[in-house]
Amino acid sequence: MDNDKLTLELQKTEIALYRTLLQTNFYEFFKFYWGTANHEPLVDNWHIKYLCDELQAVAERVFRREKKEYDLIINIPPSMSKTSILNIYFPLWCWVNDYTIPFISVSYSYQLSINISEKCRDVLRSDLFQKYFYDIKVKEDSDTKQLFKVVKDNKVGGFRYATSVNGTISGIHGHFLLLDDPLNAVDALSEVKIKNVNEWIDNVIYSRKVDNDVSVVILIMQRLHENDVTGYLLEKNKNIKHICLPAIESDKVQPAELKNNYVDGLLDPKRLSKEVLEQKRIEMGDYAYAMQYLQEIVPKSGSFFDVSKLLIVNS
């Protein structure tokens, strides 16, 4: 075998090996493709692998069209790569395993939802993605920021549809319904707006499943109010796995054994050090800080609640 043929064979082998690794491990897939949609280096932390593994477990049941075990709610502070994990890379990883999967993605803002969808599509089109998953493309005549379909070997597969709360989803059904911050901090100050969001999810989202036995609703957000989407869904639906990762170790951590992963009482000492958290508390005020970073349910009227004491971390 001459050198050119040997080189070609080695390249094919490398591609096959990487393809298998990336297909079978969402966490490795996420790390590998991070730079295609993000300009800053990845700040890795144990919670990223944990969330990737949890999402992979849910997805693999859908790939096999098995009856789902639960819907999933994840509460985590801002700026912890939650949108990248769930809303950019998760659909892509699902498609490299099952290109037929349809996604509906919802955020509180239509423009935010569209921006996230564009990033997901950009990764799919990237040279790095196409190098290893050259058989998966965006369908040319179904290619918009709001809705794009995928094809594999020229066979039409699933899609990603982006919308916002109160947006239109008529005639569209998904195997994964991704709720990524369906309520923002400003709207969480209004009981009326909170009620409207919850009623929209009730009346719209739960009727948009491909298969009620298989399809999964995944909500990811920081807590904003005692009656926010997390509180509302946990109250009415018992078939939910609730993952709660406050910035500081407390009895809010769920599952409780995850406390063992906290370092000096902190979820992520690199991103959310004691100094950063104290500055956040000062900037945001006790109420917003407690809800968004500590995942503490604090009634707005309960100004007597001394959040600052919760910043004490045993070293």
Side-chain angles (χ1 to χ4, degrees), residues 123-140:
V123 176
L124 194 157
R125 287 173 166 168
S126 70
D127 291 341
L128 188 61
F129 186 91
Q130 290 298 314
K131 178 178 179 180
Y132 297 101
F133 301 102
Y134 42 83
D135 47 346
I136 297 177
K137 310 283 185 182
V138 177
K139 191 171 185 287
E140 291 183 0

Side-chain angles (χ1 to χ4, degrees), residues 199-214:
E199 288 182 349
W200 183 84
I201 289 173
D202 263 353
N203 296 329
V204 177
I205 289 299
Y206 283 94
S207 66
R208 298 293 96 196
K209 296 180 179 181
V210 171
D211 184 329
N212 288 317
D213 286 331
V214 175

Side-chain angles (χ1 to χ4, degrees), residues 69-130:
E69 295 181 322
Y70 45 75
D71 288 326
L72 191 60
I73 292 180
I74 301 167
N75 295 140
I76 192 168
S79 303
M80 299 298 287
S81 300
K82 62 183 177 61
T83 292
S84 291
I85 295 169
L86 178 67
N87 228 344
I88 297 175
Y89 297 102
F90 181 59
L92 295 168
W93 182 78
C94 288
W95 286 331
V96 304
N97 285 279
D98 182 346
Y99 74 100
T100 69
I101 300 290
F103 286 83
I104 296 174
S105 174
V106 179
S107 295
Y108 68 85
S109 160
Y110 177 75
Q111 189 57 56
L112 174 61
S113 187
I114 293 299
N115 291 346
I116 295 168
S117 179
E118 184 177 19
K119 287 184 177 182
C120 178
R121 188 180 60 171
D122 286 347
V123 176
L124 194 157
R125 287 173 166 168
S126 70
D127 291 341
L128 188 61
F129 186 91
Q130 290 298 314

Side-chain angles (χ1 to χ4, degrees), residues 177-309:
L177 298 101
L178 309 180
L179 305 176
D180 183 359
D181 287 335
L183 179 71
N184 68 19
V186 174
D187 288 346
L189 300 175
S190 166
E191 295 281 357
V192 172
K193 290 183 178 180
I194 291 172
K195 182 180 179 182
N196 288 342
V197 171
N198 291 339
E199 288 182 349
W200 183 84
I201 289 173
D202 263 353
N203 296 329
V204 177
I205 289 299
Y206 283 94
S207 66
R208 298 293 96 196
K209 296 180 179 181
V210 171
D211 184 329
N212 288 317
D213 286 331
V214 175
S215 305
V216 180
V217 175
I218 303 175
L219 167 66
I220 194 164
M221 64 180 292
Q222 62 264 14
R223 295 306 304 267
L224 296 170
H225 189 278
E226 57 189 323
N227 297 320
D228 62 16
V229 183
T230 291
Y232 180 71
L233 293 183
L234 287 176
E235 179 67 25
K236 65 173 294 187
N237 187 353
K238 304 308 178 185
N239 189 29
I240 289 176
K241 181 169 184 177
H242 184 204
I243 297 170
C244 186
L245 301 176
I248 296 175
E249 181 185 338
S250 71
D251 60 3
K252 295 296 180 184
V253 177
Q254 292 190 45
E257 60 266 23
L258 295 180
K259 293 179 184 180
N260 296 328
N261 295 321
Y262 279 60
V263 177
D264 293 331
L266 297 174
L267 169 63
D268 188 340
K270 293 180 181 178
R271 302 187 200 208
L272 298 177
S273 65
K274 297 176 186 178
E275 293 75 18
V276 167
L277 289 172
E278 175 62 12
Q279 187 60 37
K280 290 293 182 184
R281 187 184 71 82
I282 293 170
E283 293 170 350
M284 302 173 68
D286 287 350
Y287 175 79
Y289 169 77
M291 298 292 285
Q292 296 186 40
Y293 283 87
L294 306 184
Q295 313 306 312
E296 289 282 350
I297 312 306
V298 186
K300 184 65 175 174
S301 58
S303 57
F304 57 84
F305 186 81
D306 189 358
V307 177
S308 63
K309 292 181 180 179

